[in-house]
Structure formats: structure tokens, C-alpha cells
Amino acid sequence: MADDALDLPAPEAGARGQRVLDLLDKAIALQTPLVQKNLARARQRNPEATPAEVIRNLERIYVSALTGAGAAVGGTAAAPGVGTGVALALTAGEALSSLQLSALFALSIAEVHGVRIDEVERRRTIVMGIMLGGSGSATITRVAERTGQHWGRQVVAKVPVATLRQINAVLGRNFITKYGTKQGIIVLGRVAPFGIGAVIGGGANAALAALAVRASRRAFGPPPPSWP
């Protein structure tokens, strides 16, 4: 019995993990209605842009926005006179912003590919799968028992909701571990001396953005040749 008890997660760890997933759900809920507006913004400079051009624009906007957010918060948090408590509060707020940017990016890419996601479980799978990169793709294809190249389309078209819940349970555990660990490292880095914090914050967010961009390309495959 004692050994079994040692295998159970600490209540504090479970609560922290649930907070991460709650933030993710909040980010998805807030950004889902903004997908069409995001696409319009990506196309506004060139209304005749092809889907491939719009996707490249979405990728550029996402990487730039996420990197800038990390650098700005890192520099502010590390500024002289800013206490550790304020620095940690700033990074906590930026965590939600990062999740919102990532959710908006993932759902916008799906929309360009003509993948309409009407169920919250499918949105969770798409967003977590893209944010987790290669490990997310591997989890989805393994649990869904599908080996097609572009899992983003299969998740919407072919995978039952009951299976999606199983996938999301595994993705959620991985998301808590990977995202929580990365955020912890980023938070510590941002309270470093002024300037260093900005570099760490921006660099870490740039790495997360690049991971998501690569994962989105694997999830949906080549852009459609034209708009539907």
C-alpha cells in the first residue's frame, strides 16, 4: 500500500497540471471565434493570395508575435526595480497569451486547409498535437490506430469522439509535462539580469513557435492549390 501511495501524483502537482489544461481550454474558447478575422488580417495586404501564401503569412505572424511577447515580458520582468513576485505574475499572464496565440495559429491553419472543427474535443486534439510537435503526432496516430501522413485531416473526418477523448487524455499528460517544464525554465530565465531575461524569453518562445510551425505542416500536409 505504501508503494502504491508513492506512485500517486502529489495533490499540488495535479492541481498545477489541471490549471495548465484549464488555461488551454480558455485560450481555445477565446480564440475560436477569431479565426476568420485572423485569416482576413493575413490576407489583407494581398486579397489574391493563394492558400500557400496565406499559410506562410500566418506562420510569420505567429513566430513574430510569440517571440515578441516572450522578449517583452522577459525584458520587463528582469528590469531593475521589478520584484520577483511581479516578474512571476507577468510571466503567468504571458503564458495565457502564448496559449492563445498558439491556439489561434493552429485553428487558422486548419481553416485554410478547409478543415472545419466544430467540436471542442477535436480542437483540443489539433492544438495540443501541434504544440507538442513530433511527440503529439506520434501519440495521435498510435491511439487512433491510423497511419496516414496528415493526422490533422483524419482527426476531423474519421476519428470518433470517444477515441478523441482517449487521445486527449494522453496528450494532456504530455502537455502538462512538456509545457509546464518549459514554462518553468522560461520563468526562471526571465528573472535573470536585465537583457538576459529578454533574450531567454524571446528565444524560448521562438523555439516553441518553430516547433508548432513544423508540426502544423506535418499535420495538414501541402497547402490546397486554391480556395474552396
Side-chain angles (χ1 to χ4, degrees):
M1 292 292 292
D3 291 340
D4 292 341
L6 291 175
D7 292 335
L8 295 174
E12 296 83 357
R16 285 196 298 271
Q18 188 57 50
R19 283 197 294 272
V20 171
L21 295 179
D22 289 344
L23 279 178
L24 177 66
D25 280 347
K26 182 177 181 179
I28 292 172
L30 289 171
Q31 296 305 309
T32 296
L34 303 180
V35 168
Q36 292 296 334
K37 184 181 291 187
N38 191 44
L39 291 181
R41 181 178 62 178
R43 297 182 67 181
Q44 64 185 0
R45 289 186 178 180
N46 181 12
E48 303 302 319
T50 65
E53 291 170 333
V54 170
I55 285 175
R56 284 196 296 271
N57 200 16
L58 287 171
E59 291 173 348
R60 179 187 59 78
I61 292 171
Y62 172 59
V63 172
S64 176
L66 200 62
T67 303
V73 172
T76 303
V82 175
T84 301
V86 174
L88 294 176
L90 287 169
T91 54
E94 196 267 329
L96 176 59
S97 298
S98 296
L99 285 175
Q100 290 190 66
L101 286 169
S102 298
L104 182 61
F105 169 73
L107 298 175
S108 297
I109 295 295
E111 186 76 14
V112 174
H113 281 272
V115 178
R116 306 301 297 269
I117 309 170
D118 298 324
E119 294 170 319
V120 66
E121 289 292 345
R122 298 188 194 279
R123 294 188 197 113
R124 288 183 185 126
T125 307
I126 292 292
V127 174
M128 284 194 290
I130 286 177
M131 289 189 72
L132 286 171
S135 66
S137 300
T139 295
I140 292 165
T141 54
R142 183 181 71 252
V143 179
E145 298 181 346
R146 298 181 186 274
T147 57
Q149 270 191 307
H150 308 309
W151 60 263
R153 296 179 179 278
Q154 295 185 34
V155 161
V156 173
K158 301 177 182 178
V159 179
V161 173
T163 303
L164 284 175
R165 293 194 181 100
Q166 297 175 20
I167 292 172
N168 288 343
V170 179
L171 289 178
R173 290 194 294 271
N174 295 341
F175 190 81
I176 289 167
T177 300
K178 289 195 172 185
Y179 187 81
T181 299
K182 287 178 179 177
Q183 282 301 120
I185 293 170
I186 295 168
V187 166
L188 291 176
R190 286 172 182 162
V191 297
F194 185 69
I196 298 176
V199 171
I200 293 174
N205 276 17
L208 290 173
L211 179 75
V213 166
R214 290 195 298 271
S216 70
R217 293 171 181 172
R218 288 195 299 268
F220 295 105
S226 60
W227 298 101

